[in-house]
Amino acid sequence: MRESHVAKLAVFFILFMAATGGEGNGDNSGDLTIENAKLSGIIIPGFASTQLRAWSILDCPYSPLDFNPLDLVWLDTTKLLSAVNCWLKCMLLEPYNQTDHPECKSRPDSGLSAITELDPGYITGPLSSVWKEWVKWCIEFGIEPNSIIAVPYDWRLSPSKLEERDLYFHKLKITFETALKLRGGPSIVFAHSLGNNVFRYFLEWLKLEIAPKMYIKWLDEHIHAYFAVGAPLLGATETVKATLSGFTSGLPVSEGTARLMFNSFGSSVWMLPFSKHCRTDNVYWKHFSDGNRKGHHAYHCDEYEFQTNYSGWPTNIINIEIPSSRGDEAYPSFMDVAQANMSGMDCGFPTQLSFSAREVSDGTFFKTIAEYDPDSQRLLYQLEESYHGDPVLNPLTPWERPPLKNIFCIYGLDSKTEVGYYFAPSGKPYPDNWIITDVIYEFEGSLYSRSGNLVEGNPGAASGDGTVPYHSLSWCKNWLGPKVNLTRAPQSEHDGSDVQVHLNVEHENEMDIIPNMTRSARVKYITYYEDSESLPGKRTAVWELDKANHRNIVRSPVLMRELWLEMWHDIHPDKKFKFVTKGKRGPLRDEDCYWDYGKARCAWPEHCEYRYVFGDVHLGQSCRLKNSTADLLSHYV
């Protein structure tokens, strides 16, 4: 699963981290003064969203471009196009011990520069932009440089290897402690996609590093809020496609090459789909056992796993044809199979087997195809050694609500999302030995095949974000309290006439909350699920954004606006409600004002006015806010 190239995601929610009284965009932000605005922003990027640089000298034959220390590896499309085999040496890891290729070593870059543009350049830069525009916005609004902290990591490694090789989680702990001393307040954690899995592992790792009585105190002192965006809480089915047939994500490489590279990464198993009914014993053998790892990490499933179909997912994750031919010709062509069956032996035909999410994550699937696919042995080793046998946490188990004060789970929905696959032997040698014969999608509460036919199964109330299925994204609804307030409002600026509110909706554990609200086909909505009753000192909210794509949700100005308003309300000393009001959404920045051609004036005349500035090239560009941003924000306290 490839993470989106995050553009300007958190600009609004970081605004309040600026030093008090910081000057901003003209006179629009000059009144942004809050006494306790001492928070820092900790950014944990997603899969493939951090630059990797060479840490060795590699002579590339038949190419004028060699790799020297600190040269870009991920991502340098010029070298990828001119010397793909040389580039792969710097990307691939040894599948069993996760060491570098003997001829080339790569390491993640550090600082904000590692997450701004993956491949800087006039042409490639905009296409690979991650945080560049967001940093520009922070500078524009006067954000202090030391209030924004990026924590890039080597996204190729399994969680245990991140700590073993790079001491990543030790460094992350020190980052939180340094931010507290530097800014005088706790941090806001923003994680996208795989970055959420990294943060979850960090919270479990932290339990083993500090005294149990100090754990909650440390979290309260160092972490103010956690924003989980596009989190694959129960895994993602696209991982299976990348594992068996490769997923290029737009790179100029073949699917076979992409598969070879992806399966060499220890992190490839980290995103496999798994059952919500199966867990691992929560015992910290590292400190308290005699070293018998397997005895303290029994993987068991409750009765619901075997009473329901598909491990609680909409359908089986994998349907695969197992070849009947063995030996040297493990993947015969169609004609070979036909000739072998001329005798009428039924056993010559391939056997189709189906596998649920549990059978994928517990290794059953990889054991079944081990005789037919060389990658299965390597993946099975990684699965058992680095995940089921991890002394800190088996990440392939359902999330529980992290013990943090404020949690906001944010994701898109109602996009066409892959939830199942049909694979068959292709007749080609490894790594192109499997071919996808059909795909099952979830869309608008139904399951469809690639040909458009309806498929039987257990579809959810909605579909996912185009990458992660709804079943996985919406797991964080289980973190909400027994009673939930629901609000549905248009994503665009509105006067409150189309806002729907249901208060104190009953919520049963592990049951979805389905809003009984009207919907206009022309309007994109954002639906808020907010605790009505919760644990003292804890707040949980879930935001669902219609049609927000997994790879682009962090570019959404709607999301940035909501993050900023929630944080402004959250730290305001005169706030009146638990969460920011949803009754109205007006423009907050000059960019939100536009020209209404039907009325020949600026839209939102109570907030926007026509004010030409030299250099404006169209009418909408000359529409600007009348009042300061702080005056407008006073309506949301």
Side-chain angles (χ1 to χ4, degrees):
M1 176 183 57
R2 286 274 293 115
E3 312 307 345
S4 60
H5 286 174
V6 186
K8 19 184 186 182
L9 166 61
V11 58
F12 285 125
F13 95 73
I14 297 289
L15 287 180
F16 71 95
M17 301 173 198
T20 59
E23 294 262 326
N25 181 14
D27 52 1
N28 289 341
S29 58
D31 296 329
L32 296 179
T33 57
I34 296 181
E35 292 183 0
N36 60 343
K38 301 177 181 179
L39 307 181
S40 300
I42 307 292
I43 305 166
I44 307 179
F47 182 78
S49 295
T50 297
Q51 286 183 345
L52 301 178
R53 293 189 177 272
W55 198 249
S56 56
I57 301 174
L58 177 61
D59 182 18
C60 298
Y62 312 111
S63 173
L65 302 175
D66 299 329
F67 281 98
N68 295 300
L70 301 183
D71 281 355
L72 265 182
V73 175
W74 183 268
L75 184 61
D76 190 329
T77 53
T78 302
K79 292 181 179 178
L80 170 59
L81 290 170
S82 64
V84 62
N85 291 330
C86 198
W87 177 80
L88 279 173
K89 290 180 181 179
C90 296
M91 284 297 301
L92 291 172
L93 297 176
E94 204 286 321
Y96 288 95
N97 56 26
Q98 295 293 281
T99 55
D100 299 283
H101 191 278
E103 298 181 40
C104 188
K105 181 184 297 184
S106 298
R107 289 295 181 268
D109 203 354
S110 59
L112 286 172
S113 61
I115 62 173
T116 50
E117 282 183 344
L118 296 180
D119 189 11
Y122 287 110
I123 298 176
T124 58
L127 299 175
S128 65
S129 177
V130 185
W131 294 92
K132 183 177 181 179
E133 293 300 320
W134 175 76
V135 172
K136 287 182 179 179
W137 281 32
C138 291
I139 295 172
E140 177 185 355
F141 279 89
I143 304 301
E144 292 295 325
N146 58 17
S147 66
I148 307 168
I149 305 172
V151 283
Y153 58 96
D154 194 334
W155 39 268
R156 302 173 298 170
L157 298 178
S158 63
S160 57
K161 286 295 182 181
L162 277 175
E163 177 63 19
E164 178 184 327
R165 195 196 73 179
D166 298 341
L167 292 178
Y168 178 78
F169 299 109
H170 269 98
K171 295 177 182 177
L172 185 54
K173 177 176 179 287
I174 294 173
T175 299
F176 279 106
E177 293 170 346
T178 303
L180 177 62
K181 292 181 179 180
L182 184 65
R183 302 285 300 166
S187 299
I188 290 179
V189 177
F190 172 75
H192 178 251
S193 202
L194 180 63
N196 292 282
N197 298 25
V198 173
F199 183 60
R200 178 198 185 190
Y201 190 91
F202 167 74
L203 294 178
E204 293 297 321
W205 171 88
L206 194 63
K207 290 180 180 179
L208 304 179
E209 295 299 316
I210 60 179
K213 292 182 179 180
M214 299 296 296
Y215 179 66
I216 299 299
K217 181 180 178 182
W218 191 96
L219 294 179
D220 291 343
E221 289 179 351
H222 293 84
I223 301 176
H224 174 75
Y226 166 41
F227 286 87
V229 179
L233 301 175
L234 297 178
T237 49
E238 274 196 0
T239 308
V240 176
K241 179 171 69 173
T243 300
L244 286 189
S245 66
F247 186 58
T248 64
S249 301
L251 291 178
V253 296
S254 67
E255 288 187 344
T257 300
R259 180 194 182 196
L260 187 69
M261 181 172 64
F262 185 78
N263 287 350
S264 76
F265 302 158
S267 61
S268 62
V269 184
W270 206 345
M271 298 172 283
L272 285 175
F274 54 88
S275 172
K276 66 181 181 180
H277 301 301
C278 301
R279 289 172 169 81
T280 302
D281 292 338
N282 188 18
V283 177
Y284 303 111
W285 77 267
K286 177 180 177 181
H287 284 250
F288 306 111
S289 77
D290 58 359
N292 184 5
R293 175 181 303 186
K294 296 182 183 295
H296 290 283
H297 284 266
Y299 189 74
H300 56 86
C301 304
D302 60 34
E303 58 183 6
Y304 296 104
E305 171 64 27
F306 307 100
Q307 293 176 355
T308 58
N309 295 327
Y310 318 127
S311 297
W313 284 68
T315 184
N316 285 319
I317 305 298
I318 304 176
N319 304 276
I320 191 167
E321 291 184 4
I322 299 298
S324 60
S325 178
R326 302 189 182 186
D328 295 335
E329 295 294 331
Y331 305 101
S333 66
F334 177 80
M335 291 302 297
D336 292 336
V337 174
Q339 292 173 4
N341 291 326
M342 289 298 290
S343 61
M345 296 177 60
D346 293 339
C347 60
F349 291 101
T351 302
Q352 180 169 296
L353 300 177
S354 299
F355 298 89
S356 66
R358 171 182 59 84
E359 293 168 321
V360 172
S361 62
D362 68 5
T364 301
F365 167 68
F366 296 112
K367 292 176 183 176
T368 303
I369 67 170
E371 295 184 49
Y372 312 103
D373 196 298
D375 265 349
S376 294
Q377 291 289 356
R378 297 193 284 265
L379 291 168
L380 190 60
Y381 176 84
Q382 283 292 340
L383 181 65
E384 295 177 349
E385 179 70 18
S386 300
Y387 292 88
H388 290 307
D390 190 288
V392 175
L393 168 73
N394 178 3
L396 303 180
T397 52
W399 285 53
E400 296 180 357
R401 185 193 185 279
L404 304 172
K405 292 184 291 187
N406 303 297
I407 295 180
F408 295 83
C409 183
I410 307 165
Y411 54 88
L413 77 167
D414 282 340
S415 296
K416 189 176 180 181
T417 306
E418 298 174 0
V419 294
Y421 303 97
Y422 284 83
F423 287 94
S426 66
K428 299 179 181 179
Y430 171 84
D432 299 309
N433 50 305
W434 300 107
I435 186 174
I436 297 177
T437 59
D438 206 353
V439 180
I440 301 175
Y441 300 94
E442 62 176 5
F443 185 57
E444 295 181 347
S446 300
L447 300 178
Y448 295 88
S449 68
R450 186 162 53 183
S451 59
N453 297 322
L454 281 172
V455 177
E456 292 185 1
N458 300 319
S463 53
D465 62 4
T467 298
V468 183
Y470 175 77
H471 172 77
S472 181
L473 293 166
S474 62
W475 177 253
C476 56
K477 287 184 179 178
N478 292 297
W479 303 348
L480 295 165
K483 291 187 178 181
V484 181
N485 294 334
L486 273 62
T487 306
R488 175 171 286 171
Q491 293 184 15
S492 59
E493 286 80 9
H494 60 85
D495 59 5
S497 59
D498 191 19
V499 174
Q500 306 168 65
V501 179
H502 289 173
L503 300 178
N504 297 319
V505 176
E506 297 289 340
H507 172 222
E508 296 183 20
N509 189 35
E510 294 196 14
M511 295 294 291
D512 196 4
I513 306 174
I514 303 175
N516 184 19
M517 297 175 174
T518 60
R519 180 189 293 274
S520 172
R522 296 183 177 182
V523 179
K524 292 182 181 179
Y525 292 95
I526 177 170
T527 307
Y528 310 84
Y529 304 79
E530 298 169 338
D531 277 335
S532 175
E533 294 181 4
S534 60
L535 296 175
K538 299 285 193 286
R539 291 189 311 155
T540 308
V542 177
W543 300 350
E544 293 181 342
L545 280 70
D546 290 353
K547 304 297 183 181
N549 184 270
H550 181 82
R551 297 178 175 89
N552 295 322
I553 185 173
V554 288
R555 303 173 185 264
S556 170
V558 175
L559 176 58
M560 293 186 283
R561 179 194 70 203
E562 294 303 315
L563 288 169
W564 167 230
L565 290 177
E566 187 61 56
M567 288 297 95
W568 171 270
H569 166 271
D570 190 27
I571 64 175
H572 201 286
D574 300 325
K575 61 184 178 183
K576 303 179 181 65
F577 304 102
K578 196 174 188 180
F579 296 93
V580 67
T581 177
K582 313 299 187 302
K584 183 178 180 181
R585 287 293 182 267
L588 297 177
R589 304 162 52 248
D590 287 342
E591 289 82 353
D592 299 330
C593 296
Y594 58 92
W595 184 260
D596 187 339
Y597 285 91
K599 297 181 179 180
R601 68 181 185 188
C602 292
W604 294 91
E606 65 272 30
H607 299 302
C608 302
E609 64 181 359
Y610 182 84
R611 193 164 70 247
Y612 175 80
V613 174
F614 181 76
D616 293 346
V617 295
H618 58 79
L619 293 172
Q621 201 170 359
S622 299
C623 290
R624 292 179 167 84
L625 291 175
K626 289 182 179 180
N627 304 314
S628 69
T629 302
D631 290 337
L632 297 174
L633 288 169
S634 63
H635 300 289
Y636 299 102
V637 174

